[in-house]
Amino acid sequence: MNFLPNDTLAGYARTAVDLRARMVDYHRSPLAAQYLQAFFGSRLANHPSPSPAGMGKVLTAVRAITANPWRFGEPYVIAPAMTAIIAAAAAALDLTGEVLPADVAPDDGGVLFLPEPIYHRSLSGEVSSIGAITWARTTNTGSGRSFWAIAGWADHRDPHDPAAVRRRQQLTDRPDLARQFGPYVLTDFTEIPIGQPVDPRPDLPVLDGDDRDWEPAPDGRFCIDETTTAMRASAAIAYAFWRIQAQPLATVAAAPLDRAARRRAVRASIRHDTRVVMLRRTSPLAGPTDGEPKWHYRVRFVVRGHWRRLIDRDGHPYRIWINAHIKGPDGAPLLHGEKVAVLAR
C-alpha cells in the first residue's frame, strides 16, 4: 500500500498509518539492526574504529533515533502541489554559520511523507529518491550538545528510482530477505546542530565530472544535485519544510481517520494525528494605496524563489521562503529574461 495520485485527506491519513505501522514492525526485525550496522559501518570506515562495546552503544542510539519517529513522531504529508516549492527552497538553502534555535522544528520528532518523491544526486553521480524524512532532537551525552538527527528514506517500491531498481535486482535471489524490508529504506543520515553555528559541508570535494557517470533523474521529477548544494538533501528538505509549513504560503489540515485505521494505529501504538501540508490559495500581496505611485512596472516578470532573512521582535534572525511568482500589472506583457523595465516618475 502506498499513496495514490489525487488522494483525499482521509486517504493520506489512512496510508500514513499503514506505512508507519509497517515501519514499526520492520524496526523490530533482525534485518533492521543488520542494515544499520552495515549502513553506519561503511560511513565510519574512515574514522577511528570504536571498540565493540562503543560501536554497540552507537548502534543502539542510532536505532532509537531512526525508529522512534515512525512510532512517536508527529506525522505530516506533503501534498504534491507543495513538493516543487519545498524542493526549490531546499536546493537554494545554505545554513552555513547560522545558529538554529531549538524551536525551529514543529516538534521534537516527526516523520514527513512525500507522496511525490524528491530525488537527489550523490557525489558519486547516482540518483536516489527521498520518499520520507524523519527527524529527532537528541543530545550528545559526551559533549552535551543538542542536534537534529535527520534521516532520509527511499520508497522501496518506487518504480522510477534507479537506486530502488538496483536494490530490488540485488535481492532477486533472496526473496526471503526482500520480504523483510519495510516500505522505506534508510539512504541518508545527517545532523544539524542546535544553538551552535552550522559547519560547512565536509564532504563536498571539487569535482571535474570527467570520470563520473552522471545518472539522469526521472523525467519531470525534481532532483537536488548534492555536488553543488551547500547542504545534504535530506537536511535541506527538512529545514525547508519546517519553515514553510509555518508560513502563510502553506495551510496545514488535520486529516480525518476512519475507524479501521484508527484501530490499527492504536494496536501499533503509533500517533495517528496526521496533518497534510497544502498550498494555500494566495491573494495579492498588497491592495491599492492612496495617492499617486512614484513608479510602476510596464511589464510582468518572473521573480525567482529565494530565502529572505528577517529579525523577530526579540532580535533573533530567521528565514522565510519567498516562492517564485510573477510581478507586474495585470495584462502587461510578460518579459522573458532577466531584465526588467521600470517606468519612474
Side-chain angles (χ1 to χ4, degrees):
M1 182 177 184
N2 212 326
F3 294 99
L4 301 175
N6 304 317
D7 212 340
T8 62
L9 291 180
Y12 283 136
R14 188 185 312 112
T15 304
V17 166
D18 178 79
L19 293 172
R20 293 175 64 219
R22 290 163 60 190
M23 287 301 295
V24 169
D25 290 340
Y26 163 73
H27 279 100
R28 295 184 178 128
S29 70
L31 177 62
Q34 296 169 8
Y35 185 91
L36 278 181
Q37 186 170 3
F39 182 88
F40 286 95
S42 63
R43 282 157 176 75
L44 296 175
N46 298 326
H47 296 77
S49 300
S51 64
M55 188 63 180
K57 291 181 179 179
V58 170
L59 290 176
T60 299
V62 170
R63 189 170 186 179
I65 289 172
T66 55
N68 286 344
W70 292 103
R71 183 176 179 181
F72 305 112
E74 191 169 359
Y76 290 90
V77 178
I78 290 290
M82 287 291 295
T83 304
I85 297 173
I86 297 292
L93 184 63
D94 184 0
L95 294 177
T96 303
E98 294 196 24
V99 179
L100 302 185
D103 60 353
V104 66
D107 199 35
D108 284 350
V111 53
L112 173 66
F113 290 102
L114 294 99
E116 184 174 304
I118 297 174
Y119 294 80
H120 67 110
R121 181 177 290 107
S122 67
L123 298 182
S124 65
E126 294 182 342
V127 172
S128 178
S129 71
I130 300 176
I133 289 176
T134 59
W135 70 89
R137 180 182 174 183
T138 186
T139 301
N140 187 310
T141 55
S143 64
R145 293 184 176 182
S146 297
F147 58 92
W148 297 106
I150 301 171
W153 303 79
D155 184 347
H156 186 47
R157 296 294 179 185
D158 186 348
H160 306 292
D161 182 2
V165 173
R166 289 192 296 270
R167 192 181 308 113
R168 291 194 295 271
Q169 290 174 346
Q170 294 170 354
L171 295 171
T172 301
D173 299 332
R174 292 293 308 275
D176 57 324
L177 188 62
R179 287 192 295 268
Q180 296 180 45
F181 275 91
Y184 294 98
V185 178
L186 178 67
T187 58
D188 188 38
F189 186 87
T190 187
E191 299 172 356
I192 299 180
I194 299 173
Q196 300 287 334
V198 177
D199 293 329
R201 269 186 64 184
D203 62 339
L204 189 58
V206 178
L207 303 176
D208 54 21
D210 294 336
D211 58 347
R212 296 174 185 270
D213 185 15
W214 299 110
E215 194 168 50
D219 291 341
R221 304 301 179 97
F222 201 99
C223 183
I224 298 175
D225 192 344
E226 290 192 341
T227 65
T228 59
T229 55
M231 297 185 63
R232 297 284 291 274
S234 295
I237 293 171
Y239 179 88
F241 163 72
W242 293 344
R243 296 304 310 165
I244 291 176
Q245 62 88 28
Q247 294 182 212
L249 176 65
T251 179
V252 182
L257 196 63
D258 58 50
R259 181 178 299 178
R262 185 178 293 107
R263 287 178 176 175
R264 176 160 193 187
V266 171
R267 287 197 303 268
S269 299
I270 61 176
R271 290 185 61 167
H272 51 276
D273 50 344
T274 303
R275 300 178 186 180
V276 180
V277 182
M278 300 174 290
L279 181 65
R280 185 187 298 272
R281 293 181 180 272
T282 57
S283 57
L285 295 179
T289 57
D290 296 334
E292 291 291 330
K294 293 184 178 180
W295 53 267
H296 65 273
Y297 295 106
R298 294 188 300 177
V299 296
R300 291 179 298 151
F301 58 96
V302 176
V303 178
R304 293 180 177 179
H306 59 279
W307 289 98
R308 177 177 294 172
R309 298 171 183 264
L310 300 172
I311 304 294
D312 64 17
R313 295 179 179 178
D314 299 323
H316 301 142
Y318 68 101
R319 294 171 180 244
I320 62 171
W321 175 252
I322 306 300
N323 197 32
H325 59 279
I326 296 177
K327 193 169 185 178
D330 293 339
L334 180 62
L335 185 69
H336 297 281
E338 299 298 329
K339 296 181 179 179
V340 178
V342 176
L343 177 64
R345 186 173 69 181

